[in-house]
Each structure stands twice: as structure tokens, then as C-alpha cells.
Amino acid sequence: MYYGNIKTYDIADGPGVRVSLFVSGCRHHCKGCFNAETWNFDYGQPYIQETEDVLIKSLAPDYIQGLSVLGGEPFEPENQPEVARLMKRVKETYPNKDIWCYSGYLYDVDMQPGGKVHTDVTDEMLSYIDVLVDGEFVEELKDITLLFRGSRNQRLICLKDGKDVGRYDKMIKR
């Protein structure tokens, strides 16, 4: 896997101050994508053990609320094994930090058994995610007033029971 960027102080891609990983590789090619360079699976730098170690260390301060994984596309089958491994390590190291993940694929269609991106690690990956933002970015539905997403079709899905979701408009529970 390759990655396009790491932000160690991100306030745009989930609540609070976050560490964000932008993986490379995306087949959606959404019109108006803010990160089109990450469509290429070989864009950026190789994701290696040292990369993961930097992410884990960056999550250590108490003021960091959690990890956000974006892209590119974290749920491309080629990216899932490394992303799942990272998420597992984050949850083991920092059980009180949350994980947000952004995907153009749909939770209830593409990520379920038989779905176009369901692999042998998809369910594990989903088990670590607190909030999933799903759905392709649709330029015609762009809405800058939405929290943590770019177009009205995208959903905030709480994958953890008991998570406080009242602060986010139109968040749905799994």
C-alpha cells in the first residue's frame, strides 16, 4: 500500500484534533474530488512499518481524539489488509481513541458479504471503526454546511453502540 499524506493535527476529518492517514488508490474517480492525486495506487510513499510507527506515536498526546483514515479509498481490496492492521494496533494501543473512516463505497451494499469490496478482512476492519462516512462525493450535491462530509448523499454511520452521536446532524446508527 502507498499513502499520499499524513496529517498529525487535523481538525477537518472528524471531531476534535485527529491524526489522519490518506491512503493511495481509488477507483471511484468522483468528479470534483479534493484529493484526485490519490486515485493512483502508487501515489506518494510506500506504507511501511516506520510509517505505522509514526502514526501510533502521533496518536499519543491526550489532546488527540483519534485516527481518521481517508483516501484515496481505504476499502479498496488492495488497501484493506494494511488498514485493518493499523486500526487493530490503534485500538490495542489506545482503546479510548476513536477511529473514523471515509469511503466512497456503501456500508450496507459494498462492504457486506458478497459486496464488491468485501474481503476476508472487511469485517475485522469494520469492527475497529467507530464512525464510517460512506458514499461517493457527488459534486452536484456538494454542501459546505455539512459536518465531516462533502455532499448530501454521504452518510455518517455510527458502528459502535453507545457512541454519543447527538452532536452530528443526520448520523445514523447501524
Side-chain angles (χ1 to χ4, degrees), residues 4-164:
N5 195 11
I6 293 173
K7 292 184 179 180
T8 55
Y9 303 99
D10 186 1
I11 58 168
D13 298 308
V17 180
R18 313 186 65 73
V19 173
S20 294
L21 170 67
F22 294 79
V23 302
S24 294
C26 183
R27 293 184 175 90
H28 298 292
H29 297 191
C30 300
K31 178 183 170 190
C33 175
F34 81 100
N35 213 8
E37 62 274 3
T38 62
W39 294 350
N40 182 334
F41 281 83
D42 297 322
Y43 174 77
Q45 301 175 54
Y47 182 88
I48 57 176
Q49 186 62 49
E50 288 78 10
T51 309
E52 186 173 296
D53 293 343
V54 165
L55 289 164
I56 296 298
K57 184 176 180 182
S58 298
L59 285 160
D62 289 341
Y63 62 84
I64 299 292
Q65 182 166 333
L67 173 72
S68 292
V69 184
L70 313 88
E73 174 59 66
F75 277 92
E76 291 295 1
E78 298 89 333
N79 291 337
Q80 288 187 41
E82 288 297 332
V83 173
R85 191 173 69 116
L86 168 64
M87 290 178 173
K88 178 180 182 181
R89 187 170 171 201
V90 169
K91 285 297 186 181
E92 288 173 346
T93 308
Y94 305 110
N96 295 323
K97 302 219 183 228
D98 62 16
I99 295 177
W100 281 49
C101 189
Y102 288 74
S103 177
Y105 292 108
L106 297 175
Y107 169 74
D108 48 354
V109 177
D110 304 312
M111 297 176 194
Q112 300 306 309
K116 71 168 74 169
V117 295
H118 190 272
T119 72
D120 60 340
V121 297
T122 303
D123 294 336
E124 177 187 3
M125 196 168 145
L126 289 167
S127 77
Y128 302 128
I129 297 170
D130 294 280
V131 175
L132 175 70
V133 182
D134 82 342
E136 291 186 356
F137 172 75
V138 178
E139 192 170 48
E140 294 77 18
L141 299 176
K142 181 177 180 177
D143 185 344
I144 61 170
T145 68
L146 296 171
L147 285 174
F148 310 125
R149 57 203 189 281
S151 59
R152 288 188 303 279
N153 63 297
Q154 294 174 313
R155 304 181 295 179
L156 293 170
I157 303 172
C158 181
L159 297 181
K160 298 290 184 206
D161 293 333
K163 187 80 174 163
D164 175 13

